[in-house]
Amino acid sequence: MITLKLPGTITLVLEDTPEKFRPLAEEIVPPLIELLRGLCALEEKFCARGQKQRAERPGGIYSTQAHPNSKALWDYYRDAYRALLDPRCTEKLLARRRDCCQSMGDPADFACLKGAAEVVFTMKSKSKAVVIVRAFDGFGSDCRFELKPEAGEWKIDQVSQNTCGSGPWRTNFYF
């Protein structure tokens, strides 16, 4: 196991990766981290808009009535999310995906990448890399990304989650 530092407070751990594949960690991991940080910023932005919208709905914040523009906000969020994410996914992942943007959370899904996080990189063959993002904040799930080369770049082929490091990995069909 080799540990490297990425920008910020992210630790990159190379695990079960032969020497010949280790340089690929620097090619694969930083763009993935930047993508996840972009998705986090997008989620935070739309979460704030959603909270403002809920406060403005008829009956106030505790009303059970939806804001007249809530569907439009969700549609806009979904389109922005897909525009950011879809070019970085394989056709296989996009074909299997049921939907994306099931929630706007506070904290956002990848907020851990703004604080202390560990990213584990494993690569045993030239056709697949595995990156696990582990949060140290005790919230949310660890995320496992399988990346494969497609059209000259590394793309996300499968996403799995593991609630705070316990239990089996479950495929995320909504990423």
Side-chain angles (χ1 to χ4, degrees):
M1 178 167 55
I2 296 174
T3 304
L4 305 169
K5 288 297 269 181
L6 289 172
T9 55
I10 297 175
T11 304
L12 173 64
V13 177
L14 301 176
E15 192 171 87
D16 296 328
T17 302
E19 185 70 38
K20 65 182 178 180
F21 296 127
R22 290 180 183 167
L24 287 172
E26 294 177 22
E27 178 185 329
I28 295 169
V29 175
L32 177 64
I33 297 301
E34 287 310 308
L35 171 67
L36 299 177
R37 284 179 172 162
L39 293 174
C40 176
L42 186 68
E43 185 175 353
E44 289 171 342
K45 175 181 167 182
F46 278 90
C47 183
R49 285 185 183 179
Q51 288 172 346
K52 182 179 177 194
Q53 195 178 66
R54 282 190 297 281
E56 295 172 349
R57 66 185 164 189
I61 195 163
Y62 298 109
S63 171
T64 58
Q65 190 174 359
H67 190 281
N69 295 331
S70 65
K71 183 180 177 339
L73 178 68
W74 275 98
D75 289 345
Y76 187 64
Y77 174 50
R78 190 171 283 112
D79 290 346
Y81 192 93
R82 285 180 177 151
L84 191 59
L85 180 63
D86 288 3
R88 301 290 313 277
C89 297
T90 63
E91 292 299 320
K92 176 183 157 192
L93 178 100
L94 295 175
R96 269 194 326 239
R97 184 168 67 191
R98 295 182 184 146
D99 195 2
C100 64
C101 309
Q102 294 297 307
S103 66
M104 289 184 237
D106 185 18
D109 280 343
F110 298 104
C112 65
L113 294 173
K114 296 187 331 187
E118 179 180 80
V119 175
V120 179
F121 177 84
T122 305
M123 187 171 183
K124 297 179 183 179
S125 76
K126 63 182 181 179
S127 62
K128 180 173 115 177
V130 175
V131 178
I132 298 173
V133 177
R134 291 193 174 128
F136 292 133
D137 59 8
F139 296 105
S141 301
D142 294 343
C143 262
R144 180 179 190 264
F145 298 90
E146 290 182 21
L147 295 101
K148 295 193 174 186
E150 186 177 278
E153 64 180 303
W154 287 89
K155 294 190 175 191
I156 301 167
D157 190 56
Q158 183 169 324
V159 180
S160 304
Q161 291 183 289
N162 181 328
T163 306
C164 296
S166 63
W169 290 100
R170 294 171 315 282
T171 301
N172 182 342
F173 293 102
Y174 299 97
F175 185 78

